[in-house]
Amino acid sequence: MTSEDRGAAGPYIEYDNLPVLHAREKDLPLLHPYGTVKVGGRYVTPGGGRLTVRKDGKHLQITLDHLGCPAQLTKEKTALFRRLGLAAEGHCLHAGCRHHAADAGAVLRSFTLRTGRIELTAFVRAALAVELGDERPVDVLLKDAEALVGPVRRVGPQAGEDQEEAG
């Protein structure tokens, strides 16, 4: 392991060929794509992100932080993560919730997942698949949501392209 000083936020440590992590994150468990995900857990993902899962009433809050990992900040992956958020939002709309998919400039992605709608492990596996460049699990979750509520609204610059494909 090597260390890298990044001023007030550092020191950061290289972790098993992943992007550098803060020293307090080096002991987080590495999340395996087929492993179990626990509510209240914090993990390092195979794509170099930090995934946190917590319960908030009838929802699970899932946060995926890709700080320091430019490979996860591409336009394509940002669009896929937004589609994943829309899949979760579609299930929440079907349950009567009125919140929206969120991400903050692609570095910090936050998802609200209604308990009992999409299995946590399936959702997290889809997020890990996006990190590795596979959009199929996202497509499955989005199609399931659209089967319940019809077309889920599109956000961002991809909106026009998605509407053209549908038409």
Side-chain angles (χ1 to χ4, degrees), residues 51 62 64 77-91 101-102 109-113 118 122-131 135 137-142 145 152 154:
L51 181 106
I62 302 166
L64 185 55
K77 288 190 180 182
T78 298
L80 283 171
F81 279 117
R82 285 185 177 153
R83 288 174 54 207
L84 181 61
L86 289 171
E89 183 179 329
H91 282 273
R109 297 176 171 99
S110 179
F111 305 98
T112 303
L113 188 63
I118 299 175
F123 187 85
V124 170
R125 283 182 186 161
L128 298 180
V130 171
E131 284 189 338
E135 64 187 71
V138 173
D139 289 340
V140 169
L141 292 177
L142 193 55
V152 181
R154 303 293 189 239

Side-chain angles (χ1 to χ4, degrees), residues 1-4 12-21 26:
M1 282 205 258
T2 61
S3 323
E4 180 178 322
Y12 282 77
I13 297 170
E14 190 176 302
Y15 178 83
D16 291 340
N17 297 320
L18 295 173
V20 292
L21 300 173
K26 71 177 181 54

Side-chain angles (χ1 to χ4, degrees), residues 64-85:
L64 185 55
D65 170 7
H66 283 117
L67 184 63
C69 188
Q72 299 301 334
L73 305 179
T74 65
K75 289 181 183 179
E76 296 81 13
K77 288 190 180 182
T78 298
L80 283 171
F81 279 117
R82 285 185 177 153
R83 288 174 54 207
L84 181 61

Side-chain angles (χ1 to χ4, degrees):
M1 282 205 258
T2 61
S3 323
E4 180 178 322
D5 187 10
R6 291 195 179 175
Y12 282 77
I13 297 170
E14 190 176 302
Y15 178 83
D16 291 340
N17 297 320
L18 295 173
V20 292
L21 300 173
H22 192 277
R24 70 177 179 267
E25 297 172 324
K26 71 177 181 54
D27 293 327
L28 292 175
L30 184 60
L31 183 61
H32 189 278
Y34 295 106
T36 58
V37 182
K38 295 180 182 176
V39 175
R42 184 155 165 79
Y43 307 90
V44 174
T45 66
R50 272 79 76 206
L51 181 106
T52 305
V53 181
R54 64 181 175 83
K55 187 155 176 72
D56 184 16
K58 294 181 181 179
H59 294 86
L60 297 175
Q61 291 297 119
I62 302 166
T63 305
L64 185 55
D65 170 7
H66 283 117
L67 184 63
C69 188
Q72 299 301 334
L73 305 179
T74 65
K75 289 181 183 179
E76 296 81 13
K77 288 190 180 182
T78 298
L80 283 171
F81 279 117
R82 285 185 177 153
R83 288 174 54 207
L84 181 61
L86 289 171
E89 183 179 329
H91 282 273
C92 284
L93 288 173
H94 186 256
C97 301
R98 297 285 178 215
H99 53 81
H100 300 290
D103 67 271
V107 174
L108 180 66
R109 297 176 171 99
S110 179
F111 305 98
T112 303
L113 188 63
R114 178 76 180 223
T115 55
R117 294 294 175 154
I118 299 175
E119 183 187 353
L120 174 61
T121 303
F123 187 85
V124 170
R125 283 182 186 161
L128 298 180
V130 171
E131 284 189 338
L132 301 174
D134 185 0
E135 64 187 71
R136 291 173 293 181
V138 173
D139 289 340
V140 169
L141 292 177
L142 193 55
K143 285 177 185 176
D144 289 347
E146 290 180 336
L148 293 172
V149 295
V152 181
R153 70 174 172 79
R154 303 293 189 239
V155 293
Q158 296 281 341
E161 294 172 19
D162 290 343
Q163 290 171 355
E164 289 172 13
E165 290 174 11

